[in-house]
Amino acid sequence: MIDGFWDVVLWMLALFVFTMFFWMFITVLADMWTDPEASGWAKAGWTFFIVILPWLGILIYLIAKGGGMAERAMKKQQAQEQYIRQVAGSGSASELATLAELKEKGHITEEEFNKAKASILA
């Protein structure tokens, strides 16, 4: 009974380490490949080092460039949020819904609706 329990614990630990390795591997490679300050040779060297000696390569990358990873991730997140606000902030969907409601109630004609719709979507 005890052997079975410890086998399960060891399998869970191995699964955790395996999952953590792949998460770190993908995170480090994604950060390295999207770093605008790194040259192509630096990216190739880091990739080679991380693929050949993964644990050591990941550890050294985190020590050497770990502080910049958080800054680059924040910049990417802010750029994405700004883009989402820009696209969603146009308000065209709510304006079109208001126009459709006005047309439905008979407050505006079909021609006025089409002109307003064209100006919103332009």
Side-chain angles (χ1 to χ4, degrees), residues 31 46 57-69 72:
D31 178 71
W46 277 113
I58 290 170
L59 182 63
I60 291 174
Y61 184 85
L62 291 174
I63 291 169
K65 301 186 86 173
M69 287 177 71
R72 287 186 292 277

Side-chain angles (χ1 to χ4, degrees), residues 39-62:
S39 68
W41 285 106
K43 291 176 184 181
W46 277 113
T47 302
F48 181 78
F49 188 49
I50 289 171
V51 169
I52 299 302
L53 298 169
W55 283 108
L56 185 62
I58 290 170
L59 182 63
I60 291 174
Y61 184 85
L62 291 174

Side-chain angles (χ1 to χ4, degrees), residues 10-66:
L10 286 175
W11 274 106
M12 287 174 53
L13 180 64
L15 181 64
F16 172 75
V17 169
F18 190 69
T19 304
M20 182 181 64
F21 166 73
F22 276 109
W23 175 72
M24 289 173 29
F25 186 80
I26 291 169
T27 302
V28 165
L29 287 178
D31 178 71
M32 176 185 41
W33 290 336
T34 59
D35 183 6
E37 296 175 5
S39 68
W41 285 106
K43 291 176 184 181
W46 277 113
T47 302
F48 181 78
F49 188 49
I50 289 171
V51 169
I52 299 302
L53 298 169
W55 283 108
L56 185 62
I58 290 170
L59 182 63
I60 291 174
Y61 184 85
L62 291 174
I63 291 169
K65 301 186 86 173

Side-chain angles (χ1 to χ4, degrees), residues 44-107:
W46 277 113
T47 302
F48 181 78
F49 188 49
I50 289 171
V51 169
I52 299 302
L53 298 169
W55 283 108
L56 185 62
I58 290 170
L59 182 63
I60 291 174
Y61 184 85
L62 291 174
I63 291 169
K65 301 186 86 173
M69 287 177 71
E71 293 171 12
R72 287 186 292 277
M74 288 295 291
K75 286 181 184 176
K76 288 178 204 172
Q77 183 179 2
Q78 288 171 351
Q80 183 180 18
E81 287 175 359
Q82 181 182 5
Y83 174 74
I84 290 171
R85 283 192 186 102
Q86 177 186 356
V87 171
S90 65
S92 60
S94 64
E95 291 177 32
L96 284 175
T98 304
L99 278 176
E101 186 179 325
L102 289 172
K103 181 184 147 207
E104 214 175 88
K105 291 181 179 178
H107 296 297

